[in-house]
Amino acid sequence: MALPDGSYERLRAADCADEIAYVQACLRLYFAGAGATAGDMSMPGPGVANVADITRLNKVATFVLKALSRAPAGERPAELFHWLDTYRRRTVSMNASCIMDSMAIHDVLRARQIDFVFLKGPFQQQLLYDDHFMKPSGDVDILVSPAGFFPARDALRSIGYEVAGKSRSVWWVRFLGEQHMTRGVGPRPSTVDLHYRLQQPGSPSPRDADGFLRRKRQLEIAGAVVPFTSAADTLLLSCISVAKALFNREPCAGYVCDVRASASRLDEADQQLVLDAAVRQGLDDTLLLGLRAADVLLGGAGTLLSERATRILSRIGNEDLLNMVIAPWLSSLRWPQRRTVLWELCGRAPVRYLAEAGWAASADISRRIFERPGSQ
């Protein structure tokens, strides 16, 4: 869902081009590898608060922290470094709780013999970055089949989770294909996002969501073996997240980093296999959008997939796409119409476009009915 406008007030009012460029430079330094030279990492003017906001909204604070850690202590901005380090400590605490919640969820679903797979979160961060604590994960995301949705919900209720707020509505269950479930009270309750769909209306959905369950791999975590998405599906899901964020006009540099980290682990043969799989799922243009965003934010990778990605949304210049990813609050941005983006992500295929547009229109009507005040 779109972030409230209040999250952007400071940044919308400021001329933060230098701060955006600074965060981008830090992200490029991180992905350049441990041997890269940090260079001059001094802050661009009095922009610590703006840089902190940009990294927080994009969930890239730890990336920036690790990049700055390569600079000599006397050459990095002390105030920003302290803020990033504090943010990292909070992330460690949050993700440690998320991992413990995940193990409890794993145990109850396995005991009920419910087929499921974990999505995103600390498990993905360990796979991509060798670090469970790169980005804050407040929720546990799991995918089940449509037939397994209600049994999984009942299983979660047996360990204290209950459906939260508006996610009881028809719009959430039918059109988003998910529900939030929470356990406990206070500032940090345990939250599960239970999915049987993998994309919101307005962007193309996978043709075979159950395939993500069939292709899952097994990870060893704390002495247990848990199901997680395959390497190819991890990349596809990160690209889906980028498309969803752009649809909602949310900052998504953190997802774009996941796209780069996932793609960088694939050789050329694997890249072709991923592209073929994306075509079968009807997600090839969604894949290419995520890859183009990664090249614009982090520098061109010069790979087979990067070469294919240059054609997607080609009418949007690189500078505009960069700002759509990292700074969507900028008033200077000229956003393309959502139906234009959907048309391209549907491969400019009229039948598929009409089906996806009709589904999106039905979802919008449902949301207006079921999400209005007093409808719960």
Side-chain angles (χ1 to χ4, degrees):
M1 306 307 299
L3 294 171
D5 285 345
S7 300
Y8 299 156
E9 284 180 358
R10 182 205 301 270
L11 296 167
R12 186 177 286 118
D15 179 10
C16 55
D18 288 343
E19 290 90 337
I20 292 168
Y22 183 83
V23 173
Q24 182 187 23
C26 289
L27 294 176
R28 290 191 173 198
L29 176 61
Y30 172 84
F31 279 95
T37 304
D40 181 11
M41 302 305 294
S42 58
M43 281 296 300
V48 170
N50 290 339
V51 169
D53 277 347
I54 292 166
T55 61
R56 175 179 57 82
L57 290 168
N58 282 281
K59 294 188 175 182
V60 294
T62 299
F63 296 86
V64 174
L65 175 67
K66 290 193 173 189
L68 292 179
S69 296
R70 298 176 191 167
E75 297 180 14
R76 59 195 182 211
E79 183 182 353
L80 175 63
F81 195 82
H82 175 73
W83 183 90
L84 293 168
D85 186 58
T86 301
Y87 188 94
R88 161 79 172 182
R89 292 173 188 273
R90 291 198 299 266
T91 299
V92 169
S93 176
M94 180 183 296
N95 288 16
S97 296
C98 186
I99 291 170
M100 290 189 290
D101 293 338
S102 298
M103 301 312 295
I105 290 163
H106 168 264
D107 290 345
V108 71
L109 294 180
R110 186 177 64 174
R112 299 284 184 98
Q113 297 184 323
I114 296 170
D115 192 21
F116 78 101
V117 64
F118 286 107
L119 310 172
K120 304 183 291 186
F123 298 157
Q124 176 172 296
Q125 294 170 42
Q126 176 63 27
L127 286 169
L128 297 183
Y129 307 108
D130 298 319
D131 187 340
H132 288 103
F133 311 112
M134 288 297 292
K135 299 191 293 183
S137 295
D139 306 333
V140 179
D141 286 274
I142 58 175
L143 173 70
V144 297
S145 68
F149 183 75
F150 293 111
R153 191 173 68 180
D154 291 340
L156 292 170
R157 279 176 168 156
S158 74
I159 57 173
Y161 287 93
E162 290 297 335
V163 178
K166 288 185 176 181
S167 71
R168 297 184 180 91
S169 77
V170 171
W171 183 70
W172 278 87
V173 177
R174 172 63 176 153
F175 291 98
L176 289 187
E178 68 176 279
Q179 284 190 309
H180 295 316
M181 301 186 72
T182 60
R183 181 179 67 182
V185 295
R188 193 182 296 173
S190 175
T191 305
V192 180
D193 285 346
L194 176 62
H195 301 258
Y196 71 90
R197 292 187 187 277
L198 288 171
Q199 182 60 289
Q200 69 179 49
S203 296
S205 301
R207 291 185 175 127
D208 179 22
D210 283 357
F212 290 82
L213 296 170
R214 294 193 303 272
R215 293 185 295 270
K216 63 181 178 287
R217 52 182 156 169
Q218 302 296 324
L219 303 180
E220 186 172 344
I221 303 292
V225 176
V226 302
F228 196 76
T229 50
S230 70
D233 288 340
T234 297
L235 173 55
L236 283 177
L237 285 170
S238 296
C239 293
I240 285 173
S241 294
V242 172
K244 184 187 298 185
L246 292 175
F247 178 86
N248 288 324
R249 301 184 180 180
E250 297 174 349
C252 59
Y255 292 135
V256 172
C257 288
D258 293 344
V259 171
R260 171 54 55 84
S262 294
S264 67
R265 293 173 176 263
L266 305 175
D267 60 25
E268 188 161 314
D270 289 332
Q271 291 178 48
Q272 186 61 57
L273 291 174
V274 169
L275 184 57
D276 292 343
V279 170
R280 290 193 297 272
Q281 287 279 17
L283 295 175
D284 43 320
D285 291 300
T286 299
L287 170 68
L288 296 178
L289 174 60
L291 291 163
R292 185 183 170 211
D295 288 348
V296 167
L297 177 67
L298 302 169
T303 64
L304 167 70
L305 292 177
S306 291
E307 291 170 2
R308 301 285 184 89
T310 56
R311 68 171 177 79
I312 192 70
L313 293 178
S314 58
R315 293 183 181 179
I316 300 175
N318 286 347
E319 184 177 353
D320 281 340
L321 182 58
L322 169 66
N323 287 326
M324 288 172 187
V325 165
I326 198 171
W329 54 79
L330 292 176
S331 58
S332 59
L333 272 174
R334 291 177 292 179
W335 286 86
Q337 292 181 318
R338 289 186 171 95
R339 64 174 178 267
T340 300
V341 176
L342 178 60
W343 170 250
E344 290 230 15
L345 294 186
C346 289
R348 302 185 180 185
V351 173
R352 187 171 191 209
Y353 169 76
L354 289 173
E356 293 286 359
W359 178 249
S362 298
D364 188 56
I365 292 170
S366 174
R367 183 179 183 182
R368 291 173 186 273
I369 294 171
F370 295 106
E371 296 290 290
R372 64 190 179 193
S375 63
Q376 297 299 314

